[in-house]
Every structure is written in structure tokens, then in C-alpha cells.
Amino acid sequence: MFDLLSNSADVPVVILAGGQSRRMRGPDKAEVRLGRDRMIDLIINRLRPQASRLLVSGPHDYGTGLTVITDMPDMPPGPVGGIHSIAAWLAANAPSVAGFITTPVDGPCVPEDLVCKLSASGDAAFGLDETGDHPTFAYWSVPRLMALRMQAPVSRASSLRALLAAIDATPVAWPGAGQFLNINTPEELAAAQTLHAGNSSSCTRATISYSEALAVLHAKTRPLKPVYASLKTVAGHVLAADVMAEAPAPAFDNAAMDGFALRAADTDLATPATPARLEIIGTSAAGDEGKAEAIGQNQAVAIMTGAPVPLGTTSVIPIEATRTEGSTVLIETPFPSGKNIRRKGTDFNAGDRLVPKGTFVTPSALPALAASGQARFAVYPKPRAFWISSGNELVDDPAEALAPGQIYNSSGPFGEAALHEAGATCTGRITIRDDADTLIAALSSPAARQSDLVISTGAVSAGRFDFVRTALEAIGATIHFHGVRIRPGKPVLFAQLADGRYFAGLPGNPSATTATFRLFVNPLIRALTGLPAERPFKARLTSEANIRPNLTFMMKAHLETSQTGQLEVKALDGQQSYKVANMIDQNAWILHVEGAALPEPGTMVDCLWR
């Protein structure tokens, strides 16, 4: 019974069933039909793409095969007792589960992003739209509920709103009205029949904001399992563990320049007329084992940069500040103590954290790694990505003449290069025709199966030939979000296949492809490799920016440095998503996040490198 609860990374969703509405003349709401289907079947179909673990709180499973949670005998009847019963059941049978989501059986048009938004919002949350709050659509913290139950007995008079307030739940807003349709009366059932018309997909798909989508992406993405890299191969990877120094650096006191190791006190009385005369008793070169004899009074050792300094040395005088006569070095002015000696451990000591976890290893980090004394380093592997371009109209071979209605494939070459630039490796790329079966076959190909991430372009909107979501749902993928309030790229989709591979469905128009790659695939690759979220940088806007409110805009832009050293950015002409010619001049994006003040020339705007 508990196999479906074995993966604690997935939040279980509990359908609240068993309720009877007197206003609907008493039938069990789960059995009420909306079109051809029972409401419980409709809501299961609605939730399947969002959650892999569904349960029923009610008297039985209604023939669904789902695990049933019944109310505990010591709980008062009603929704509050039901919530406490669910928490107690999970605490006893699935202790690794920290929280659960509830949705009522009479809400068959549950938002398609309900699970990802509520589970990404904290320990306790509930749905809210323009019609008000909806406490049955909520994320409940098991520890908070169990603690609350220990403090006081559950009251029959309590309400779900009061219970949510007691566990400090936060509201999570959905735009518009009607996101949480409840059917409680014959009139509401009739209205829902008109909306539904026998098709469960007719419920409006809600879009989420760019910020919400990024939060979901980061909440659902985990870094890849670390591997080991040698000093020769570590560059270009992200460290998965701190690099600790095995030995001090410098490992011994050594000379900072060519000259003579001496006792500085022997030069205190030196003048041009009566120079200090020191006997040269030996030589110390880089690579020597440090066996040069100790320096005594009025003695010196010829020494090379990096060579160990002899015992008794207090300074190394540069060779150009001396002259020699046979085996004697002459110094005409006093030379201070403590000069030109690199002391042991002054760079770092054994046990110091030399390079922290999460560092992207560039060539400039290699000297420190080489000095650490370690032969291999734990790193996150570069994500393996498979690229799929979809479209009956696409032609891959630029040498092939185009037939009417055909275009050359621009997304494939872009994707392969962009993946490499973003820190991933491309295991392959193909072009497929516009049908779900072809996509399913492509996802099963050896190159795709070897990947951590699959990216497709095209067919994610809502047209007749937009099949990506249908194909993903057919093979049991979990849709984390589909539709973000951005321009270009609103239909962008993020999902996870049943075998754990991540899937990003990007729109097919070139600018939309490149914008959504930058907004979502780049952050996904960073998350897979253990890098923190990227921060935009600021530049002064020098052009008009045609931006509408209530959307996040990505504008193709050109960035340059002014004569005074100020970063300046201008939006390029031709922002339409099908235009590619201006991408030649593009080296940045202007990122205007929904809700921010509309930019005017001369103001500072957020930017991302292309």
C-alpha cells in the first residue's frame, strides 16, 4: 500500500471526498457526473500530470484503486477532523512526508499549477483568487498539525480557515476569478456542465509569473550526482565539495628573488667607503632540499627565486644591490631585516578551506587546486542534454532547396551551441514531425535515454498540431508548469519524465526559443551543476522600450560601455519572435519583470548577458 509513498520528494495530494450536499439533494459529490464522467474521475485526471501520489480521504476508493484515508474515531466529523486524520495517517505510515495538499472532489477544474505553486510556497499555504480564499485547496504541514493537536483537542466548531491561521498558512494568489470552481448547487452544476461539455481539458489553463516559474524550477531540480575529476579535467566543472589544503604553501621559507641570503644585522654599518664584506659560503637553488649550511656572522649564501633559505637568514638582498669580489659579496648600504623571504604557510596552511564548494573552476583556479596536494576533486558532471526540433516545415540541410512552405531549421544549431556555452554536453539532436507518437519515440531513443535533460522546440501552445503536452501526459510525465506570463515565450513548459529526466518545452519561433532558453534552461543547467541562481546586472537604458504591464518581457538588446565607463543598453529594433537578423547585434537581454515600473530612457534596467 505504501509504494506510492516511497519517494518523499513528491508531495502527496489528497482528494477530499465523501461529502454530501443537501443543496444538491444529498448525493455523494464524488459520484456526481459532469458530462460523461464522475467528478472524482475528472479531478484525478486533472491531478495526474501534477502529482505522482494521489490518495482519497473518504469512506472508500470509489473504484479508483487509490489508497483511502478514513476519519479517525476520535476526530469530530467534518473537514477539520478530516485534515487532522490525514496528518495522523501520514505521520504513522509515511513519516518522511512533511506535508500534503488537499483539493475537494467537487473542484474538477483545479488549476494545472496547483501542486507546484502550493508546494513551492513554504510549510503551509492556501489558494486565493479574485473571488476570495479557498481553504480546501491548501498545503498542510504535518509537523505543525501534529503539534497543534498535542496542544488542544480538535473542536467540531473549528473551521478550515481557523486551522490554516493556527498553522500560519500563507495565501498563494492565482490571477482572475474561477480558478477554484466548486460545485455545491444544481445551478452551479448546470453552469459547470456548460463549461465542461464533456471534456475535462476545457478548464482554463492558468499561467504563472516568471518569478513563480523560477521558484518552481529551483524547487523541483536537484544537482546531479557528483563524480571525480583530475587536475587535467576539472576546469569547466563546479566543485561538489570544499577543497581542503593537504599541506601549507609555501611549504618552506624561500627566497622571493635572486640575491644573497644574509643576516641583516651584518650590514648595519655598511657605507660606500666601508662596505659590509660577507663570505659566500654556498648556493641555494630552487629544487634543493634545503641542506645549505646555516649562515653565521658575516656570511651569505647565493640564492635563487623559490629556493629554501638557509637557517639563520633574516633577509634576502637583491643581486643588483650588491657586487662581488671572488667569494665575497660587498654591500654598501644597510639592508633591513625581513625582506624578500616568503614564509612557510603565509598563503595557506594545511587544513585551510582552499576552494569552496560551488566554485566554477576557471583556469585561474587551477594554481590553487594544484597547490592543494590533492589528485582528484569532487565535481558535478556537466548535464547531458538531448535536443528535439519539431515541425513538418523544418529542413536540416542548408544545401537543400526549400519547397513551398518549408524553412531551414534554426533552433537545432542554436541549441547545440547554446548547451555547450551554458555548461552542458549535447548527446544528440534530431528533427521530428508534428505528432505525439514521433516525440514519444524520440524520447525513447538511446541518445535521449542517456541524457539528464531533454529540450524540445515547438508544439507547446494550444493549436491543433501542438502535441507536446499530450505526448508527455501519455507517458506519465509530471508537468510542473505550462504557461508563464512572459513575452516572448508564454507557452513554455517544464516537466519531469517518469524516469527522472527533466524536460523543457520551448516555443518554436526563434526569438521565443532563445529567450526561454536563457530564462529557464540556463537556470536549470546551473541548478543541475550546483551553481546558485544568477542575478541580473544593471545598465542605463538609452532607447525606448515598448513594454506592456502585467507581463515579464525579454528584449533583445545591445550593451556597451560609455566614454565615462557606464554600462548602457539599448533595445534593438525588430523584437518580433520570428525575426533573427538583429540577433547578430545582440549581446544582452533587457529583463523587465512583471510588476516593476515601466522603464523610460535614462533609467536603470535589469539585464542578462546573451
Side-chain angles (χ1 to χ4, degrees):
M1 176 173 65
F2 308 119
D3 288 347
L4 80 168
L5 295 174
S6 60
N7 182 359
S8 62
D10 295 329
V11 177
V13 179
V14 184
I15 302 169
L16 304 178
Q20 295 183 331
S21 172
R22 288 174 293 178
R23 289 178 292 176
M24 293 183 66
R25 303 179 181 88
D28 187 324
K29 291 184 182 180
E31 301 284 3
V32 171
R33 292 189 176 271
L34 192 58
R36 299 184 298 269
D37 304 306
R38 297 181 307 167
M39 279 207 276
I40 192 166
D41 297 323
L42 290 174
I43 198 164
I44 288 173
N45 291 336
R46 193 73 170 172
L47 290 168
R48 279 291 187 204
Q50 302 188 50
S52 59
R53 299 184 295 168
L54 300 180
L55 304 95
V56 173
S57 171
H60 53 85
D61 71 352
Y62 299 91
T64 64
L66 299 180
T67 297
V68 177
I69 302 175
T70 56
D71 287 354
M72 297 174 63
D74 60 339
M75 288 292 166
V80 172
I83 296 297
H84 278 287
S85 296
I86 296 168
W89 188 93
L90 288 170
N93 296 288
S96 62
V97 172
F100 60 94
I101 288 173
T102 56
T103 181
V105 75
D106 58 356
C109 282
V110 54
E112 293 185 347
D113 54 354
L114 179 82
V115 174
C116 66
K117 284 186 70 170
L118 287 180
S119 61
S121 300
D123 289 334
F126 59 92
L128 176 76
D129 67 8
E130 291 182 4
T131 65
D133 62 339
H134 301 275
T136 52
F137 296 87
Y139 177 80
W140 303 89
S141 165
V142 172
R144 291 188 188 182
L145 287 169
M146 297 300 290
L148 187 66
R149 185 181 166 202
M150 294 292 292
Q151 295 170 10
V154 179
S155 169
R156 181 172 185 175
S158 181
S159 68
L160 287 183
R161 288 183 176 87
L163 186 58
L164 286 165
I167 62 172
D168 296 323
T170 57
V172 179
W174 271 260
Q179 296 288 349
F180 302 97
L181 173 68
N182 272 119
I183 300 172
N184 291 305
T185 67
E187 293 75 20
E188 289 171 344
L189 177 61
Q193 297 282 17
T194 302
L195 167 68
H196 183 74
N199 180 1
S200 63
S201 65
S202 63
C203 299
T204 301
R205 178 183 300 153
T207 59
I208 60 177
S209 72
Y210 165 63
S211 299
E212 290 168 328
L214 266 189
V216 170
L217 184 146
H218 285 115
K220 298 298 182 181
T221 307
R222 296 291 179 268
L224 299 175
K225 183 179 179 180
V227 297
Y228 285 97
S230 67
L231 186 64
K232 185 177 180 179
T233 60
V234 70
H237 289 85
V238 179
L239 294 177
D242 293 339
V243 176
M244 312 301 289
E246 298 283 343
F252 49 86
D253 294 349
N254 67 86
M257 59 180 58
D258 293 347
F260 291 91
L262 48 74
R263 301 191 324 164
D266 293 338
T267 68
D268 286 349
L269 301 178
T271 67
T274 57
R277 302 176 68 89
L278 308 181
E279 178 188 3
I280 303 172
I281 62 170
T283 300
S284 181
D288 285 352
E289 297 180 4
K291 293 182 179 179
E293 59 185 285
I295 295 175
Q297 186 175 4
N298 295 325
Q299 291 179 334
V301 169
I303 196 164
M304 313 306 166
T305 303
V309 298
L311 188 65
T313 301
T314 62
S315 271
V316 173
I317 188 170
I319 194 169
E320 42 291 1
T322 68
R323 56 190 175 89
T324 58
E325 293 178 354
S327 62
T328 300
V329 59
L330 282 68
I331 302 165
E332 298 181 346
T333 58
F335 194 74
S337 180
K339 293 293 185 180
N340 305 321
I341 297 176
R342 303 165 178 161
R343 294 296 181 185
K344 177 182 177 179
T346 51
D347 191 358
F348 55 82
N349 282 298
D352 285 353
R353 187 175 74 163
L354 192 56
V355 189
K357 174 184 176 180
T359 298
F360 179 77
V361 180
T362 62
S364 62
L366 294 180
L369 293 178
S372 71
Q374 297 191 28
R376 62 177 194 165
F377 308 92
V379 299
Y380 296 108
K382 294 185 178 183
R384 300 163 298 174
F386 186 72
W387 189 277
I388 302 173
S389 302
S390 71
N392 296 340
E393 74 280 13
L394 297 182
V395 174
D396 286 324
D397 186 357
E400 181 180 334
L402 294 178
Q406 292 184 326
I407 61 172
Y408 292 116
N409 181 4
S410 64
S411 72
F414 161 79
E416 193 166 359
L419 286 168
H420 175 76
E421 186 178 61
T425 58
C426 187
T427 61
R429 67 176 175 93
I430 61 171
T431 302
I432 64 171
R433 295 186 63 79
D434 284 328
D435 69 80
D437 291 340
T438 307
L439 176 59
I440 292 172
L443 293 173
S444 300
S445 67
R449 285 196 173 277
Q450 292 171 7
S451 66
D452 307 299
L453 164 65
V454 178
I455 302 114
S456 75
T457 60
V460 288
S461 191
R464 177 183 173 188
F465 297 104
D466 294 321
F467 57 86
V468 169
R469 185 185 180 111
T470 301
L472 294 177
E473 291 175 340
I475 60 174
T478 300
I479 310 297
H480 293 315
F481 62 74
H482 185 191
V484 181
R485 294 193 298 275
I486 57 174
R487 179 171 291 183
K490 179 181 177 181
V492 63
L493 178 149
F494 175 54
Q496 201 160 2
L497 305 183
D499 59 9
R501 285 176 291 168
Y502 297 94
F503 184 95
L506 313 183
N509 276 322
S511 288
T513 299
T514 57
T516 49
F517 185 98
R518 189 65 181 84
L519 284 177
F520 300 107
V521 180
N522 272 87
L524 177 57
I525 291 172
R526 290 179 67 91
L528 290 172
T529 56
L531 284 173
E534 184 181 10
R535 291 182 179 179
F537 61 91
K538 296 284 187 181
R540 189 175 304 281
L541 182 64
T542 61
S543 67
E544 296 289 340
N546 185 18
I547 291 174
R548 287 169 42 191
N550 303 321
L551 285 175
T552 290
F553 268 73
M554 278 281 274
M555 304 191 76
K556 292 173 280 188
H558 183 79
L559 187 77
E560 58 188 12
T561 305
S562 71
Q563 292 183 349
T564 60
Q566 170 74 53
L567 281 179
E568 295 181 339
V569 66
K570 67 175 181 178
L572 298 174
D573 293 333
Q575 292 291 330
Q576 294 92 332
S577 61
Y578 70 92
K579 291 189 174 181
V580 298
N582 59 1
M583 291 184 185
I584 298 169
D585 297 323
Q586 182 189 3
N587 62 3
W589 293 96
I590 294 172
L591 173 63
H592 175 79
V593 177
E594 172 186 347
L598 296 180
E600 297 180 356
T603 59
M604 302 298 288
V605 294
D606 285 339
C607 298
L608 296 172
W609 292 108
R610 179 188 54 76

